[in-house]
Amino acid sequence: MPLAETSADPKAMPDFLRLVGAELWTKRLADLGRRAQASAFQGRAMQHRHALEFALARAAHGTAQGSAERRALGFAAEAVRLANGLPEARREKLRAAITQGLSGEATLIPLFHLLRSAALYRAQGFEVRFSGLAEDSAHDLTISRGGAVAEVVCETISAEEGRPVQRGHWYALMDSVNPELQTWLAAHPGRYVLRMTLPDGLSGPDKAAELQRRIMAMLAAEKRQDSSADAVLKLDPLVLAGAQADPLPGRLRQQFGPEAHLAVTGDPAGGSVFVLAARAGQENSISDAVATRMAGAAGARLSGAKPGIVSVFIEDMDRAEWRGLRDDLALEGAVRRFLAGHAARRVVAAACSSRAELFGLAPPDAVAGGELRFRNPSHPAAKSAALAPAILSTSA
C-alpha cells in the first residue's frame, strides 16, 4: 500500500526547527551553501547528496511546491510527533541522531528512512513501536498485527561501497583537472574523448592526484595513449551515434554504458568538447554490498526471538542506476542468495528502497508500494497471514 500524499502543515517546519535547534540548522545551511559554491563537480554532487536538507530549507522559507518537498515536510512532522511522545531522555537520543545527521558528510536520510518505514507499516495496518529509541533495543521498530509481532532493522548504505571508482573521488578529480583541460582545449580546438580504464578502481586523493598528473602530462606531450598497470589512458576523436538533436549526456551514456563515469568540458563559443570516460576493471558490486550489510544487521541487531525484517535504504544512487539494479535482477539475485544462507535464519523478509520511494516518485523510477521486498520462504513465519503485508515479495 503506497503512502498517501501528505498535505501541507504550516506548523511542520517551525516545529521541526525547534526540535533541531535554530543555531544548528542555520550553521548547517551556511556550510552546505559554501560547499555547493566551492567547486563545480563536487558542488553539484553535494547538492544531490544533501537534497533532503535543501528541500526542508525551501519549506522553511515557504517556497516548497512539489510533492518531494511535501513528503519531506510530512516526515519532518513525523519526527516532531515522535519526539513529543518520548520521555525527555529518549527525546535527547532522537535529537542526537538529528545532530549527527546534520554534521559533516552525514545526512538526515537514515532518520527519515526510519520515519518512512514506520509510516509504511502503519499504512499496511500494523501497530508500530519505536523500540530502538524508546527501549534501547538493537532493532529499530517493533510491528504487530493480528497477534503477530516482528522486529524491524532500518539500515542505510551508500552505493559508493560497491563502486570500484567512487563518485566522490571522480568528482574531485574532475574539479582538479577541469581548469587545465579548458586551457588545453582552447589551444587544441576539436571534439575529443579520453577513455580511462582503471583496473583497480579509483580511491583516495593520492590516486586521483597521480591520475591528474598523468592526464595532463600525456596531453602536454601530445600523446594518444599512456598505459600502466593501474591505468590505461587513450585519447580519440569524439564520434557519437544518434540524432544530433539528442542531448549530449544521454548519447554519451548510451555509448559508454550505465557504469561509466562521465564528465564533459568544452568551449561553447567554439564548439569544442572534451569528454572524460572512466571505467573500472571490474563491475560495480552494489547489490553484493547491500546483501553484506543485510547479513551484518541480521546477526547483530535481530534477537531471533521474533521474526525479523531488514529494511535497507540505498543512498548515493540516481534513478537510472536504481532502475538498472532492479531491471537486470542483480539486486534480487544478491538478496535471495543472502536469504538462502545461514546468515538469514532470523530474517523473514528483506526490503530495499531509495530516494525514489522516499520522495514518492512514480513507477518505473520508484517501486510500486514503496519498497522492493523479498520473503524468506524457509523462515517459520513466512506464511503468517498477519505479517503478510510486510513480508510478501513485491515485483520490481
Side-chain angles (χ1 to χ4, degrees):
M1 179 186 299
L3 295 179
E5 180 65 46
T6 304
S7 59
D9 179 357
K11 293 184 58 183
M13 200 58 201
D15 289 346
F16 182 71
L17 292 183
R18 278 192 288 272
L19 175 64
V20 170
E23 183 178 359
L24 172 62
W25 182 253
T26 299
K27 288 183 177 179
R28 179 61 164 178
L29 289 184
D31 176 57
L32 293 181
R34 285 191 297 268
R35 291 163 59 193
Q37 296 175 10
S39 57
F41 289 94
Q42 292 179 92
R44 288 194 295 270
M46 194 278 299
Q47 290 181 58
H48 178 268
R49 176 168 177 78
H50 297 281
L52 176 56
E53 288 148 286
F54 286 118
L56 290 171
R58 291 191 296 273
H61 287 89
T63 57
Q65 299 294 331
S67 61
E69 286 84 0
R70 290 194 295 273
R71 298 268 294 198
L73 269 180
F75 294 125
E78 287 285 332
V80 173
R81 282 191 286 271
L82 173 59
N84 290 340
L86 292 171
E88 181 58 31
R90 303 303 182 186
R91 194 178 305 136
E92 285 304 314
K93 186 176 180 180
L94 175 59
R95 287 198 183 99
I98 294 173
T99 299
Q100 181 180 2
L102 295 174
S103 304
E105 295 302 316
T107 73
L108 292 172
I109 288 290
L111 173 61
F112 276 50
H113 171 46
L114 172 65
L115 296 169
R116 179 184 173 276
S117 297
L120 187 63
Y121 292 125
R122 284 195 294 266
Q124 294 169 338
F126 289 89
E127 293 184 10
V128 179
R129 190 167 74 251
F130 286 86
S131 46
L133 284 170
E135 303 161 14
D136 276 335
S137 65
H139 58 277
D140 296 295
L141 303 172
T142 301
I143 63 173
S144 57
R145 181 176 180 266
V149 181
E151 300 174 353
V152 181
V153 169
C154 294
E155 290 276 330
T156 300
I157 184 173
S158 171
E160 293 281 57
E161 294 188 24
R163 293 188 183 116
V165 178
Q166 294 193 352
R167 288 182 178 175
H169 299 307
W170 171 253
Y171 293 138
L173 172 64
M174 292 304 99
D175 278 327
S176 64
V177 79
N178 191 54
E180 295 178 270
L181 278 182
Q182 290 181 335
T183 301
W184 184 89
L185 193 58
H188 303 79
R191 296 167 64 83
Y192 307 90
V193 56
L194 178 60
R195 305 170 193 267
M196 294 179 277
T197 302
L198 308 173
D200 297 326
L202 178 65
S203 60
D206 292 341
K207 283 191 175 182
E210 173 60 18
L211 188 55
Q212 176 195 5
R213 186 198 64 77
R214 287 182 57 184
I215 290 171
M216 299 317 303
M218 188 184 85
L219 294 177
E222 299 188 354
K223 295 169 59 178
R224 291 290 178 175
Q225 188 164 337
D226 180 19
S227 301
S228 69
D230 56 358
V232 177
L233 313 180
K234 187 178 180 182
L235 183 66
D236 291 315
L238 176 63
V239 180
L240 291 174
Q244 292 293 323
D246 292 344
L248 180 59
R251 296 167 69 195
L252 290 171
R253 183 59 62 192
Q254 184 177 24
Q255 177 168 326
F256 291 100
E259 292 197 357
H261 294 257
L262 300 170
V264 180
T265 189
D267 174 14
S272 294
V273 175
F274 198 111
V275 174
L276 298 101
R279 289 186 65 91
Q282 64 269 20
E283 294 182 351
N284 289 346
S285 55
I286 297 171
S287 298
D288 291 336
V290 170
T292 299
R293 176 64 66 88
M294 286 180 170
R301 303 186 62 198
L302 293 174
S303 69
K306 299 179 179 66
I309 299 172
V310 179
S311 177
V312 176
F313 189 101
I314 310 174
E315 179 61 313
D316 300 316
M317 182 174 54
D318 58 36
R319 300 181 194 182
E321 195 170 22
W322 174 229
R323 289 180 61 180
L325 286 178
R326 290 147 43 203
D327 292 346
D328 65 14
L329 303 183
L331 186 58
E332 177 174 352
V335 174
R336 289 198 183 279
R337 286 192 295 274
F338 154 67
L339 291 175
H342 181 71
R345 65 193 183 280
R346 300 174 180 175
V347 180
V348 68
C352 300
S353 59
S354 72
R355 289 190 182 198
E357 290 74 32
L358 178 69
F359 289 122
L361 302 186
D365 288 327
V367 179
E371 63 183 2
L372 185 62
R373 188 171 59 245
F374 305 100
R375 181 177 57 171
N376 182 359
S378 65
H379 193 280
K383 295 183 179 180
S384 168
L387 293 178
I391 66 174
L392 290 181
S393 298
T394 58
S395 171

